Amino acid sequence: MATTDLLSALDQLDLCKQEEREDIFTDVSTIAFELSLLITFSHMLHFFLKRLGQPSVVSQLLAGIMIGKSFLGHLPLATKYLNISNQDNLTSIATMSRMLFMFLVGLELDPPYLLRNIRRAIAISYSGVALCAAISLAATPLVYNLTNATGSKSLFALSLALVLSSTASPVVIRVATELKLTMTESGRLLIASSLINDMTCLLFVSVISIFAPTGIGAGNESSAGSKLFNGAVALTLIGGSLGLVRPGVKWLNRRNKDRGGIRGIELLGVLMFVMVISCVTELMGYNSTMASFLLGLMFPRTGPTARTVMGSLSYFVHNFVVPVYFGYAGVQTDLTMVRERGVAITVVVLIAVGTAGKIGGTMIGGRLVGMTVREGLVLGLLLNVKGHVDMILISIARKYEIWGQTTYMIILITVLLNNIMAGPAAAFLINQERKTLKYRSMGLEWLNLDKELRVLACLHSPQDAPTILNLLEISAGSTAHVPSSRSPLAAYLLHLLQLTPRLTTTTLYHQRIDHHFQKDLLPDQTRQIDFAADAFVDQTSIPLRQINAISSYDTMHLDICRAAQDIRASLIILPFHRRLRLDGRLGFGKEGIRWVNRRTLRHAPCTVGILVDRGMSGRFMEVGAGVLHKVAVVFVGGADDREAMAYGGRLAMHPCVSVTIYRLVGERDDEDEDFVRDFVRRFVVTGMVWFVEKEVKDGMETVEVLMGMEGKYSLYVVGKGRRWGEGRRITEGMGEWEGEGSWGRSEICWLRRSLCRRDRCW
């Protein structure tokens, strides 16, 4: 009998284990099916919606609605394969997706810009929060009655004000990136404002969680003292991990200094470090958004570690992780409740209150910092999007019975519709403005010195790197040595590679690769350029973003022009197609590169500079403790020469550069006279630039003046050409002069302004 009972117990145990394995298999297959549907639907919807100018966030939210409680969750056949009622596994995956996404956001942000504009961002963020909270508090009695709430009115008002005043920085950053706002002043100000708003709201959530009677997500009672202890431990953990990031990455860079990137196991270790810190923060009852973001923000941008991490994460996060994170909000929302009495009216009231407060406050703050009304309107729409902070606040309010299930779902629907409406509305306004103005190329002549100079420096091989990087360094003005400088530089390095049969077998299609380059494509050249870029950043502290492009010479100029548009460049620097020979003369160059330069000059949306590298000999003068680069700018007249003089004025901002302007006067032009007069007032009178004016009658006298400059300067800046017959008399016959060996071993930078006018650009 005992043996029979034992066998029966063993059979039951095996049956339980089998059922447990089947349950695990069912859960895994269900979540895999849900994720596949979510990612597939989001990409399918975006394929159509992107043609209407809509960001991918809208597609991802709609995909979540399709597979969630609003649509498939009400179909009997779908509930067989989708576990809509229990989304715990999807919640965990969405949380981990948020961690990776915010880490990548921190990696891609520009910390110097955020610090330079912190006051403007605070003014915009807090003005929007203040007005939105005030209107929310005023509307609380109406919303309280519409939702039939029974809890404390004061707690209801506080919770509602926090929900409607908050901003989801991950959503804002994603939308701003896809609308190509991150390369503009207002776009990066938008990102800084959203981060400040997000951090402030998370701080409020932390304070509420400390003094609340129960722990957030803990499911058990805990005292305020234990919560304070957990908060202190979390802060210590985050602070310690931030302190370990830089030395750890530098150690990895030294370990892989001879490689193009770090090893796979090392990459896994970096990502595991980020995930562990973020998960521990979550387990302690605090949101890990800022922890993940700060880890990415503190990550050094140079070296093989950063290139490998950014290159490995970018595609995976943007195509697989982000759809899960944003789609999760749509999955848990039940839009069918809108049909219930009073729900639709309440949702409309909440959307109107939140939108009016956020837009109005943002426009007021924007005017205080000098923004236009239209820019304030776009920023207000985008700062009105909601996300993870709202989900936490909604859960807290529901847990403390501040509002019931109906109110909970009403707020959830409001958050979702806010996000769906904000993106298309902002995209519509931005696209309308772009259709009207196209790409407004801000020529160097009109670019103030306190405005950021955005430069796209192109190179074909490692031999081009030293001279181009040297030019970028002195183009930064005093930013290279004085952090509080008023002459900021945003530098981008575009490595151009010809699409050859060997590369074709690997890439199979025309492509542009950001941040990371495949190791099997010309690894030696890529590694040398990476080393040069890392050394440049280490020595100058100027951020440098690297981009790689693969295309044939016939279409390479399109890559350059598109990259210039994407980063809103004011200046493109191209290497000359001919290189210096041992005898000091320029040798024969590649005809393909020559045609790339010609086509770029013709189609570029901004000013283009052709850098003729003649082997910089180091014509320096010792001045105090520094070294002085001597630069000459030749001004004859016309738009191109005005660009050259404006660029010379920016070079003069560098403490180790001396600039001399040579103005050759034959016939005077009113536009040139106004520009020269203003330039003299700003630079010559103040002693920053030397100015020499010479009267010349024809091309021979012009040549004599140029010959007198032989060997005196390390860089010559001249206008590329003259149009519409400007000043032909003093340059006539100069085509017969062979001057390539006459000026010594120096660089020559030819500048040509875009063919577009200031108010209408290509």
Side-chain angles (χ1 to χ4, degrees):
M1 187 68 179
T3 304
T4 305
D5 293 340
L6 180 61
L7 291 175
S8 177
L10 290 175
D11 289 340
Q12 291 179 359
L13 181 61
D14 289 340
L15 183 61
C16 291
K17 289 183 178 180
Q18 184 177 356
E19 291 177 351
E20 185 178 351
R21 285 195 296 268
E22 290 177 353
D23 290 340
I24 294 174
F25 176 77
T26 302
D27 290 341
V28 172
S29 59
T30 300
I31 195 66
F33 183 57
E34 289 179 353
L35 293 177
S36 301
L37 281 180
L38 190 59
I39 295 171
T40 303
F41 284 175
S42 65
H43 286 295
M44 289 174 61
L45 289 170
H46 187 55
F47 179 79
F48 297 102
L49 292 179
K50 70 179 179 181
R51 286 161 171 75
L52 303 176
Q54 303 308 316
S56 63
V57 173
V58 176
S59 305
Q60 290 152 5
L61 290 170
L62 292 176
I65 292 174
M66 290 176 63
I67 72 167
K69 301 176 182 179
S70 303
F71 185 64
L72 292 181
H74 291 274
L75 300 179
L77 182 63
T79 54
K80 256 179 100 174
Y81 304 99
L82 296 174
N83 191 7
I84 303 298
S85 60
N86 184 9
Q87 294 293 335
D88 292 339
N89 293 328
L90 189 59
T91 302
S92 302
I93 294 175
T95 302
M96 297 179 69
S97 300
R98 185 189 70 227
M99 296 174 187
L100 283 175
F101 176 62
M102 289 306 296
F103 175 65
L104 184 61
V105 167
L107 272 176
E108 294 178 340
L109 278 187
D110 182 8
Y113 181 85
L114 296 178
L115 294 176
R116 286 199 303 267
N117 292 271
I118 189 70
R119 292 184 179 179
R120 298 176 66 198
I122 288 175
I124 292 174
S125 177
Y126 287 166
S127 60
V129 168
L131 185 59
C132 193
I135 298 178
S136 300
L137 293 175
T140 296
L142 175 62
V143 178
Y144 189 87
N145 293 328
L146 286 174
T147 56
N148 297 319
T150 57
S152 169
K153 284 189 177 181
S154 58
L155 290 177
F156 186 96
L158 177 61
S159 302
L160 186 64
L162 283 174
V163 168
L164 297 182
S165 301
S166 66
T167 297
S169 57
V171 184
V172 171
I173 293 168
R174 184 63 178 168
V175 173
T177 301
E178 297 203 6
L179 294 178
K180 297 182 179 178
L181 296 178
T182 55
M183 301 303 176
T184 64
E185 287 282 323
S186 58
R188 287 182 293 174
L189 195 59
L190 165 70
I191 292 175
S193 302
S194 68
L195 288 170
I196 291 172
N197 192 317
D198 211 343
M199 293 176 68
T200 304
C201 289
L202 283 173
L203 179 62
F204 272 101
V205 171
S206 301
V207 172
I208 291 174
S209 67
I210 289 174
F211 296 102
T214 58
I216 298 176
N220 53 5
E221 302 242 343
S222 55
S223 64
S226 64
K227 295 173 189 174
L228 286 172
F229 176 77
N230 288 341
V233 172
L235 286 175
T236 304
L237 177 67
I238 295 172
S241 61
L242 292 177
L244 291 174
V245 168
R246 287 190 176 276
V249 173
K250 289 180 179 178
W251 177 78
L252 283 175
N253 288 340
R254 289 194 301 269
R255 179 183 173 89
N256 297 276
K257 62 180 180 179
D258 296 328
R259 296 168 54 89
I262 61 175
R263 298 171 177 84
I265 188 66
E266 294 169 336
L267 172 63
L268 181 61
V270 171
L271 297 181
M272 287 298 297
F273 174 77
V274 174
M275 297 302 292
V276 167
I277 298 299
S278 302
C279 289
V280 171
T281 305
E282 289 278 346
L283 291 174
M284 289 184 175
Y286 298 93
N287 190 270
S288 63
T289 297
M290 283 300 128
S292 306
F293 169 74
L294 291 174
L295 287 172
L297 196 66
M298 293 296 294
F299 211 89
R301 302 303 195 272
T302 60
T305 305
R307 277 190 292 273
T308 304
V309 172
M310 295 177 77
S312 301
L313 279 183
S314 293
Y315 182 83
F316 175 72
V317 168
H318 291 314
N319 288 278
F320 298 100
V321 172
V322 171
V324 175
Y325 171 52
F326 292 122
Y328 171 69
V331 170
Q332 60 180 344
T333 306
D334 188 1
L335 292 180
T336 58
M337 290 192 63
V338 176
R339 295 176 297 183
E340 297 183 10
R341 182 179 178 183
V343 172
I345 299 175
T346 309
V347 170
V348 171
V349 170
L350 290 176
I351 291 176
V353 167
T355 304
K358 187 67 74 171
I359 291 178
T362 303
M363 291 176 69
I364 293 172
R367 294 300 295 170
L368 293 176
V369 299
M371 297 182 67
T372 64
V373 175
R374 194 182 190 92
E375 289 175 330
L377 177 60
V378 173
L379 261 64
L381 284 169
L382 291 176
L383 288 175
N384 195 40
V385 300
K386 312 299 179 184
H388 54 278
V389 175
D390 306 274
M391 302 302 174
I392 298 171
L393 288 170
I394 291 171
S395 300
I396 294 174
R398 185 185 176 192
K399 181 187 300 182
Y400 302 152
E401 298 181 354
I402 298 173
W403 49 49
Q405 175 65 25
T406 302
T407 309
Y408 170 82
M409 194 56 64
I410 287 174
I411 302 296
L412 204 59
I413 293 172
T414 302
V415 168
L416 181 69
L417 293 180
N418 258 331
N419 292 355
I420 292 178
M421 290 166 47
F428 174 77
L429 292 174
I430 293 168
N431 290 332
Q432 287 298 312
E433 185 175 7
R434 285 175 179 167
K435 287 179 181 178
T436 303
L437 300 178
K438 297 296 181 183
Y439 168 34
R440 179 171 288 187
S441 171
M442 182 61 72
L444 301 181
E445 177 183 348
W446 300 294
L447 188 65
N448 295 330
L449 292 176
D450 60 341
K451 297 296 183 182
E452 187 178 56
L453 175 64
R454 307 189 67 80
V455 181
L456 178 67
C458 306
L459 47 82
H460 295 276
S461 67
Q463 288 75 21
D464 300 325
T467 305
I468 285 181
L469 293 176
N470 192 17
L471 184 61
L472 285 178
E473 195 271 335
I474 62 175
S475 298
S478 52
T479 41
H481 303 278
V482 184
S484 60
S485 167
R486 299 176 62 238
S487 179
L489 174 74
Y492 292 80
L493 195 66
L494 177 61
H495 184 193
L496 300 168
L497 284 165
Q498 183 187 8
L499 187 63
T500 61
R502 185 167 74 89
L503 290 178
T504 304
T505 58
T506 307
T507 60
L508 299 181
Y509 58 93
H510 171 86
Q511 62 177 330
R512 193 175 117 208
I513 309 170
D514 291 342
H515 305 304
H516 183 66
F517 192 50
Q518 297 177 14
K519 298 177 185 178
D520 55 346
L521 303 181
L522 301 179
D524 294 334
Q525 287 196 21
T526 304
R527 191 179 301 117
Q528 292 177 39
I529 292 173
D530 290 343
F531 290 162
D534 293 343
F536 171 82
V537 175
D538 291 338
Q539 295 174 12
T540 65
S541 299
I542 299 174
L544 182 66
R545 300 293 181 91
Q546 291 179 253
I547 309 171
N548 297 291
I550 307 174
S551 58
S552 65
Y553 284 141
D554 292 336
T555 60
M556 193 172 285
H557 68 285
L558 297 177
D559 273 343
I560 298 172
C561 295
R562 287 167 185 158
Q565 279 191 308
D566 288 344
I567 70 170
R568 318 294 287 182
S570 297
L571 175 64
I572 299 173
I573 299 177
L574 299 172
F576 195 48
H577 68 284
R578 299 169 67 185
R579 299 186 184 281
L580 191 72
R581 300 187 313 205
L582 293 177
D583 61 1
R585 299 175 69 87
L586 292 175
F588 296 101
K590 289 187 176 181
E591 193 67 16
I593 297 178
R594 179 188 179 193
W595 282 104
V596 169
N597 291 351
R598 284 192 172 188
R599 293 188 182 103
T600 304
L601 286 168
R602 186 179 305 120
H603 297 289
C606 60
T607 299
V608 180
I610 306 293
L611 183 62
V612 184
D613 185 0
R614 307 173 74 98
M616 195 170 197
S617 59
R619 296 274 179 180
F620 306 133
M621 287 177 51
E622 294 293 336
V623 179
V627 177
L628 183 65
H629 298 247
K630 300 191 69 177
V631 178
V633 179
V634 181
F635 183 85
V636 178
D640 292 349
D641 283 11
R642 290 197 297 272
E643 287 292 277
M645 188 182 288
Y647 185 55
R650 188 170 285 270
L651 295 179
M653 296 291 294
H654 197 286
C656 297
V657 174
S658 172
V659 177
T660 303
I661 305 293
Y662 286 88
R663 186 187 184 192
L664 309 182
V665 182
E667 50 194 44
R668 298 183 182 270
D669 178 81
D670 291 340
E671 192 171 358
D672 288 341
E673 290 297 323
D674 293 339
F675 174 76
V676 171
R677 209 165 20 245
D678 180 67
F679 186 89
V680 169
R681 177 182 57 82
R682 289 190 298 154
F683 294 97
V684 180
V685 174
T686 57
M688 297 176 61
V689 173
W690 298 91
F691 190 84
V692 178
E693 185 171 295
K694 292 182 178 293
E695 294 281 346
V696 293
K697 298 178 181 178
D698 52 30
M700 292 303 297
E701 292 189 6
T702 301
V703 170
E704 290 179 5
V705 174
L706 297 178
M707 292 290 291
M709 300 162 59
E710 178 184 356
K712 294 181 179 179
Y713 300 95
S714 55
L715 177 66
Y716 298 88
V717 184
V718 297
K720 177 65 174 70
R722 305 177 61 78
R723 297 182 284 272
W724 305 296
E726 298 172 329
R728 286 183 178 177
R729 182 168 58 84
I730 64 174
T731 58
E732 188 175 359
M734 288 187 61
E736 302 174 1
W737 173 54
E738 178 63 33
E740 70 175 49
S742 303
W743 287 0
R745 298 171 61 80
S746 307
E747 283 93 359
I748 301 176
C749 187
W750 291 342
L751 289 180
R752 166 165 284 182
R753 180 179 296 171
S754 170
L755 296 178
C756 63
R757 295 201 306 270
R758 185 183 182 186
D759 59 342
R760 187 189 66 184
C761 300
W762 173 84

